[in-house]
């Protein structure tokens, strides 16, 4: 019998090649207002449609399955996938099978010194993403990293300095907004004033451990940056985006390894309170999704406004509708459900536009860095949570 729940890593790897799988991955609404979801029915013509190539791009480092979504997003947006490089033979084999048009480069240097390449993508081990991005920018290319794109405040300072010096794009793919159609739709609704002025966001990012499929670096803070730095970065991106916040501070944060003593350098729970000039936020992230759930995580986002609220159930509506991308809107007139299965995911197209036109339509550089800065500060300031046995 088929496993009744999703193995998230296997799902990312195996289904991205299918039409339904492609629909799950990619990106963002209009600027100023982003995690893979369960597959749902979509318009197949829309899924398969790709813009004619406008830029050439390569990949360096494929240590997380999100790289499949990153590449697909850029190809749909008008990117020609030219080459890739990775050190791990098993990862290379699967990746080459999925993207036969891209040649395997002999080294990172071969890609960096190829002057025909405009953009480099990476899902290398998280602690290596910022140093790689710095090398990419210094070679005159734009860069898109999987989250977390930066794992220390020292890395952030250096990335900011080099980005300003080179004027290259350093983009982080905050996939819980960019790849979730209901979250994209929520951005459109908020921008249109559907719930008035946004006061607060509550972002919940639960995940399933899937211990047997995780590499060693997954269990060591030195490599993934800590739970708030890692999966919490999604929530900070959404907080800034929906509240319109430009300046913010961490009110309180805590992290803990409350149920996995066999991995002493791991963190399985974290939460944060944040406030800024646009609104307040609460964030909770964890690795406690039980096997009985038919998804890798019941990701939710609540957006509270002065005239109503929106609730997004990103991956699953437990005991409710099938699939993911569920949006519920309550205002002064009614409560209604909005089907988001046909909403465009425009991040890839917008990023390619930005590479070509030197603009910031996908995401401003300051927004990208501020979301990361807040996650890193919350991680650094976090109280260590311990619970009685």
């Amino acid at each position: 019998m088929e496993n009744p729940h999703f193995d998230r890593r296997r799902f990312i790897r195996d289904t991205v090649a299918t039409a339904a799988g492609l629909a799950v991955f990619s990106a963002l609404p209009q600027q100023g207002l982003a995690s893979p979801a369960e597959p749902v029915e979509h318009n197949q013509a829309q899924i398969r449609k790709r813009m004619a190539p406008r830029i050439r791009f390569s990949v360096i480092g494929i240590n997380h399955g999100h790289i499949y979504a990153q590449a697909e997003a850029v190809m749909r947006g008008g990117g020609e996938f030219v080459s890739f490089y990775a050190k791990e033979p098993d990862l290379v084999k699967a990746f080459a099978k999925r993207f036969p048009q891209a040649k395997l480069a002999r080294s990172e240097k071969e890609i960096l010194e190829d002057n025909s390449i405009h953009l480099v993508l990476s899902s290398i081990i998280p602690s290596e993403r910022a140093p790689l991005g710095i090398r990419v920018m210094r070679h005159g290319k734009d860069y898109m990293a999987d989250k977390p794109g930066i794992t220390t405040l020292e890395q952030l300072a250096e990335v900011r300095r080099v980005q300003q010096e080179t004027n290259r794009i350093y983009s982080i793919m905050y996939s819980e907004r960019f790849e979730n159609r209901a979250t994209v739709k929520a951005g459109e609704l908020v921008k249109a004033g559907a719930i008035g002025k946004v006061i607060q966001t509550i972002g919940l990012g639960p995940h399933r451990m899937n211990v047997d499929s995780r590499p060693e670096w997954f269990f060591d803070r030195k490599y993934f940056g800590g739970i708030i730095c890692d999966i919490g970065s999604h929530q900070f991106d959404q907080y800034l985006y929906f509240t319109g916040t430009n300046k913010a501070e961490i009110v309180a944060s805590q992290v803990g390894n409350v149920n996995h003593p066999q991995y002493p350098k791991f963190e399985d729970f974290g939460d944060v309170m944040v406030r800024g000039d646009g609104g307040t936020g609460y964030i909770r992230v964890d690795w406690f999704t039980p096997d009985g759930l038919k998804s890798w995580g019941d990701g939710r986002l609540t957006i509270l406004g002065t005239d109503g609220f929106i609730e997004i159930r990103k991956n699953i509506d437990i005991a409710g509708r099938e699939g993911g991308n569920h949006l519920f809107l309550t205002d002064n007139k009614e409560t209604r459900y909005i089907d988001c299965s046909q909403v465009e995911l425009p991040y890839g197209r917008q990023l390619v536009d930005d590479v070509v036109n030197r603009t910031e339509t996908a995401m401003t550089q300051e927004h990208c860095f501020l979301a990361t800065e807040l996650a890193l500060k919350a991680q650094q300031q976090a109280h260590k949570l311990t619970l009685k046995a």
Side-chain angles (χ1 to χ4, degrees), residues 79-118:
E80 179 186 355
F81 192 0
V82 176
S83 60
F84 74 99
Y85 173 72
K87 300 176 182 178
E88 302 83 4
D90 57 330
L91 299 179
V92 166
K93 183 179 179 180
F95 197 70
K97 183 177 180 180
R98 174 64 193 91
F99 299 108
Q101 72 273 35
K103 74 170 185 176
L104 176 62
R106 291 166 293 182
S107 66
E108 173 187 302
K109 182 179 179 181
E110 180 181 330
I111 291 174
L112 294 181
E113 295 186 354
D114 183 345
N115 292 329
S116 74
I117 302 300
H118 304 94

Side-chain angles (χ1 to χ4, degrees), residues 12-13 16 65-73 91 94-95 98-99:
I12 292 170
R13 183 184 67 244
V16 73
H66 284 165
I67 194 62
Y68 290 84
Q70 294 171 255
E72 289 291 349
L91 299 179
F95 197 70
R98 174 64 193 91
F99 299 108

